Amino acid sequence: MTIKRITSLAAAPDILTERTHLRAHRVDDFEPMVAMWQDEAIYRYIIGRPSTASETWSRLLRYIGHWHALGFGYWVIEDRADGHYIGEAGFADFRRDMDPPLGPEPEAGWALVSSVQGRGLATEVMLAAHAWMDSHNPHDHTLCILAPEHAASIRVAEKCGYAHAYDTTFAGGPTSVMKRARARA
């Protein structure tokens, strides 16, 4: 398998949307990340159980490392009005143990704290993230995996241009794989 690489970056570039600021993860994001990943509204459709502090620490380091190694990754989502951490979103290569494997295309993902859900922020953030990725990604597609019953995230994916590709199983549960073609200038 050939893996196309984006020129690595030292850190995530800043992106401003109407209501959010997307920025690189920092060590001081650990505590709000722990709180988010222990909220049932967050983990229910993603990993099915609360993340331990140790797992969240590894997630934080993995997010930082993606930018250094691959030139893309996840951003922290801050509320532009008050600077509070409200989630994370971006792209990754998690090398998931799936059949069939996802392959080399970047995998999109997003998670917002439950207090801001339902306001269209995930769509706003992911449209901005995809605009950045479309201009920096050498791959023709991005993918995302979702629990088939997670209607809100499926709507976000569809608004970003994803369409259902196939169904599989991941981490013991049914999983929908969605695919999006890179927008061409």
Side-chain angles (χ1 to χ4, degrees):
M1 163 177 36
T2 303
I3 298 175
K4 297 178 185 177
R5 301 221 185 259
I6 299 170
T7 303
S8 67
L9 300 173
D14 283 28
I15 298 175
L16 296 176
T17 73
E18 181 182 339
R19 299 176 287 170
T20 70
H21 173 206
L22 281 63
R23 62 154 176 86
H25 280 80
R26 301 184 295 244
V27 170
D28 61 354
D29 296 317
F30 177 64
E31 292 302 326
M33 285 179 67
V34 168
M36 183 178 79
W37 286 102
Q38 291 182 352
D39 180 350
E40 196 265 342
I42 305 305
Y43 67 72
R44 171 183 27 190
Y45 295 115
I46 301 173
I47 59 174
R49 60 170 178 73
S51 286
T52 65
S54 176
E55 290 168 328
T56 302
W57 180 251
S58 293
R59 180 180 287 115
L60 172 63
L61 296 178
R62 184 173 61 222
Y63 289 162
I64 293 167
H66 260 83
W67 289 100
H68 291 277
L70 302 175
F72 63 86
Y74 269 62
W75 288 270
V76 161
I77 308 166
E78 286 183 338
D79 185 315
R80 277 187 72 176
D82 60 20
H84 286 116
Y85 173 99
I86 58 172
E88 51 204 35
F91 304 90
D93 179 355
F94 291 131
R95 307 279 170 118
R96 296 189 188 278
D97 294 325
M98 295 176 67
D99 187 23
L102 291 179
E105 288 87 9
E107 177 188 337
W110 54 91
L112 281 81
V113 298
S114 56
S115 64
V116 303
Q117 292 178 4
R119 299 183 197 171
L121 287 168
T123 300
E124 178 179 322
V125 163
M126 289 311 294
L127 287 171
H130 280 93
W132 181 89
M133 192 62 154
D134 286 345
S135 65
H136 293 84
N137 176 14
H139 297 282
D140 291 329
H141 296 92
T142 53
L143 303 168
C144 66
I145 64 170
L146 299 164
E149 68 275 12
H150 195 356
S153 278
I154 290 170
R155 282 192 304 277
V156 170
E158 290 170 343
K159 289 176 185 178
C160 291
Y162 284 89
H164 182 266
Y166 59 91
D167 293 317
T168 188
T169 301
F170 177 67
T175 300
S176 293
V177 177
M178 299 181 78
K179 190 172 189 176
R180 176 190 180 273
R182 179 176 64 177
R184 305 283 180 182

